[in-house]
Amino acid sequence: MSDFDFIADRPVLDFVATVAERGTAGEEKLRRPRDLAVWAREAGIVDGPVKVTADQLAHARAVREALFGLITAAIDDRRPSRADRDLVNAAASGVAPTLNLTGAGTVARRGDIASVLAALAQDGLDLYDSADADSLRRCADPHCTRVFLDRSRGGRRRWCGMKGCGDRAKAASYRQRMRDSEAG
């Protein structure tokens, strides 16, 4: 079973979520180079395994944090830092994975870790400049630092997903109602 969740509808949002609970527990999900290789394949950015060195993992984490900075700047309606902008722009200038139609009629996605980061940085820049930027939200769970796109009809979604944060909030609300009814 994977340690990764792919619930955001955008690869860049799933990538920045590979750190859970920023500022509190700071649960790093990309602990080893192999974790990043697995994430890239499970995210569908590349089909086969990619080689990742410890230095490349460190660079990928830096790009991830710059992307998080870019995304939170969009949410907060402020300019991203120059350092974040420069790092994301540098990663985005790379060549994204190559797509090829195979004889079996499937599309093969091939690339190295630099191409994976290029695809993620390009997705981050596209998101920053798209109509979706207005739909970016932070999860209302005080421990969760996941960002998501609120595509709900009323634009009032509060949780990154019902599995996890939403379920915990609903359960806590239910327990509070039960305590209130017993006390009343």
Side-chain angles (χ1 to χ4, degrees), residues 52-162:
V52 180
T53 67
D55 287 343
Q56 289 169 323
L57 174 60
H59 177 66
R61 287 177 179 166
V63 170
R64 176 191 63 198
E65 294 312 303
L67 285 163
F68 185 74
L70 184 89
I71 290 163
T72 57
I75 292 170
D76 297 338
D77 197 27
R78 62 176 168 77
R79 290 181 186 217
S81 75
R82 181 181 185 125
D84 289 347
R85 188 183 71 224
D86 290 347
L87 191 51
V88 171
N89 284 339
S93 70
V95 177
T98 304
L99 297 142
N100 292 298
L101 186 60
T102 68
T106 60
V107 175
R109 293 164 178 79
R110 291 188 175 80
D112 59 10
I113 197 59
S115 65
V116 168
L117 293 176
L120 291 166
Q122 291 166 12
D123 188 40
L125 292 173
D126 179 65
L127 176 58
Y128 185 84
D129 189 46
S130 74
D132 277 344
D134 292 334
S135 300
L136 282 166
R137 305 281 186 272
R138 287 184 178 89
C139 183
D141 183 319
H143 299 290
C144 182
T145 54
R146 192 172 192 119
V147 292
F148 63 92
L149 291 170
D150 181 2
R151 292 188 174 132
S152 66
R153 188 181 324 199
R156 297 187 322 213
R157 184 172 148 199
R158 299 185 59 215
W159 316 111
C160 60
M162 284 313 293

